[in-house]
Amino acid sequence: MTCLATIQDYGLRAIGIGERLLPKEDFTLCQQFTLIGSGLIWNIYFGVLALAFGFFIANAVALAKSARSPWLRKPAEWFVLVFRGSPLFIQFFLAYFLFLTLKQAGILTWLTSAQAGALVVLVLNTAAYSAEIFHGALRSVPRGEVEAADAYGFTGWSRFIRIIWPTSMRLAWPAYTNEAIFLFHATTLVFFSGFPAWQQKGDALYYASYFADKTFNPFIPYPIVAMYFIIVSVTLIGGFGLVNRRLNRHLPQDRRSKLKYRPQIIR
Amino acid sequence: MFSFCADPAAISGSKWLACYLTTGKHVGLYWSFVTVLVLLAITAPAALLFGFGGATAARSHFAPLRLFGKFYIVIVRGVPDIAFFLFFVIALDQGFEWMRHQVLCPDWSEPIRQGNDFRVCPAAKLPLGNAPQWVHEVYGFFLAVLTFALVFGAFAANVLYGAMQAVPRGQMETAEAYGMTHRQTFWRILVPQMWVYALPGLSNLWMILIKATPLLFLLGVEDIVYWARELGGSKQARFSDYPHGDWRLWYFLGLLVFYLAFTKVSEFVLERIMRRLSRGQATVGAT
């Protein structure tokens, strides 16, 4: 079987298109590259959607955390504490069994699938981590900028949306880039934590561990996963770097905040 | 456990719960908490040691060693940690068996990798085929600890590398001016001073390590996640004295609370250590 045929059969296997049965024996390098690559579709799906939804929730939570009223502040603090203080792995399990219980009661039955349920957990989790970053950024907006805004007669919402929020985003962006990278890494946990891979439609690491189990040789599939994730990380850094450039475009070159790749954060 | 537990069908309410929570299986759950704590207690110093080695290697003047140190730091950071956990457990196991195979059975002619099998001679098996159960468990735990130490060693290496760079250059130059050798400057000037720069990173790492402990489950150790799944699953009256529905939700809620409390307590303790260590130092946090 040529590699092209393998790609046709397994290139979209992770979303259920193509050959139904996974390869059983005589695994070729091409099969491993193709299947693990097709699993990456799910990692990207979880990562992109969680980032997109999480960004807005995170901003809301960060604002609530900076609010003066304890009715807003306390729930936000608890939300951040619970999701940052406990392992993502346990959160996945807990959420899955919660959704199972709900399903038995007949509400929100679609949440037990990994595609929906795990996404909810990831959105909330990244929202909590990002909210902490944004909250820190909101607090470190230079006082002078706020005073200048006051002097120009900006008040309330327009002061926030025109002056404070853009600056806070600019300050938060390097840390937020790291958060995005580790969110993508965290997506590999989904199929190891209760959520079932229905019809063996799993993510990159799911297929890698499938190959490692079958061949009893970890030295091929896991480096393939590593390679794919390094590509994803580099792409993310590139994309976020563009946004960072735009956020910093009004500053002189030497005062722009650079993106730095910082130590790993496991959830 | 208690004398009134003799007839589970006759009791109810809090008595039932007290009996239920002290069954043999639950004691297994409580011991697995100890497993987690033991893992933390062994892994933290081991990872620190690996990290120290990695950081020193990355600063070495000998180019291959420096490259190795930098590679160790970069590769573990760039790849999902779970991939590393899954990889190292098998890779280490096979590595050990392969080394023992080379030493113990030099005249073994068959290839080790036969298709989808990894075959070493029986004498090189780890643990030996006839070993008692506890040896298997201890070996599995040992592999898990080593895996954790390797992965977290890389994170620690990154932190310590940064901390070593952060020690003011003037300190080192002064030491050299006093005629200290390279080795002396390293051990007497650099190492004692780097901790205060490393501590924020290391305490962050400790939090991460706590939150990584449930991954033991993926490494095949019977840890708290394993027991919570086992015990929480629904039990029928035919198979158990204490039948109940699907309680996994509550068991995992318990685990969540455990981890929250653990991270909260650690945060408190680390704060105190930091305040203590930064006394008399020329940093912003010092008093």
Side-chain angles (χ1 to χ4, degrees), chain A residues 25 27 81-82 84-87 89-91 93-94 97-98 100-101 129 182 185 188-189 192 194 205 209 212 214-219 222-223 225-226 229-230 233 261-267, chain B residues 75-83 85-87 90-91 93-94 113 115-118 152 155 158-159 204 208 210-212 214-215 217-218 225 229 246 248-249 252-253 255-256 259-260 263-264:
Chain A
E25 54 204 351
F27 304 95
L81 176 75
V82 167
R84 288 185 78 228
S86 63
F89 198 49
I90 302 285
Q91 289 167 21
F93 270 115
L94 187 64
F97 295 128
L98 178 69
L100 266 189
T101 317
Y129 277 88
F182 298 126
H185 289 182
T188 53
L189 264 180
F192 291 91
L205 196 62
S209 79
K214 287 275 186 261
T215 60
F216 208 57
N217 178 1
F219 296 96
Y222 291 125
V225 173
F229 269 92
I230 288 171
S233 304
Y261 191 36
R262 297 259 293 285
Q264 171 128 351
I265 302 163
I266 305 178
R267 317 308 183 83
Chain B
I75 190 71
V76 180
R77 273 171 32 194
V79 176
D81 36 341
I82 311 120
F85 284 125
L86 294 178
F87 169 77
I90 315 181
D93 186 36
Q94 292 187 354
R113 280 204 189 284
N116 294 341
D117 268 334
F118 183 83
F152 277 88
F155 303 156
N158 187 47
V159 170
N204 194 12
I208 297 171
I210 292 176
K211 287 192 271 167
L215 299 178
F217 172 68
L218 295 180
V225 177
R229 267 167 57 118
D246 191 346
R248 284 176 295 189
L249 178 60
F252 277 97
L253 200 61
L255 289 192
L256 191 85
Y259 276 107
L260 277 182
T263 44
K264 206 73 196 150

Side-chain angles (χ1 to χ4, degrees), chain A residues 29-67:
Chain A
L29 260 183
C30 179
Q31 282 175 340
Q32 307 204 11
F33 265 104
T34 313
L35 250 185
I36 294 174
S38 93
L40 203 64
I41 296 173
W42 283 120
N43 294 105
I44 293 173
Y45 161 86
F46 283 126
V48 169
L49 286 186
L51 267 185
F53 291 120
F55 180 78
F56 294 102
I57 303 179
N59 270 301
V61 174
L63 269 184
K65 225 187 145 188
S66 330

Side-chain angles (χ1 to χ4, degrees), chain B residues 41 61 88 90 107 116 125 129 139 153-154 161 172 185 244 249 271 273:
Chain B
H61 290 293
F88 272 129
I90 315 181
D107 36 277
N116 294 341
K125 277 254 181 288
Y139 180 67
Y161 181 75
M172 310 287 286
T185 6
H244 61 73
L249 178 60
E271 183 108 338
I273 298 179

Side-chain angles (χ1 to χ4, degrees), chain B residues 39-54:
Chain B
L39 175 94
L40 280 173
I42 304 177
T43 309
L48 209 55
L49 210 67
F50 275 73
F52 193 75

Side-chain angles (χ1 to χ4, degrees), chain A residues 174-189:
Chain A
Y176 189 58
T177 307
N178 275 295
E179 159 61 25
I181 292 170
F182 298 126
L183 174 71
F184 272 82
H185 289 182
T187 57
T188 53
L189 264 180

Side-chain angles (χ1 to χ4, degrees), chain A residues 46 92 99 111-123 190 193 195:
Chain A
F46 283 126
F92 273 136
F99 296 150
L111 274 176
T112 47
S113 71
Q115 287 77 352
L119 185 62
V120 170
V121 180
L122 279 170
V123 166
V190 171
S193 58
F195 285 102

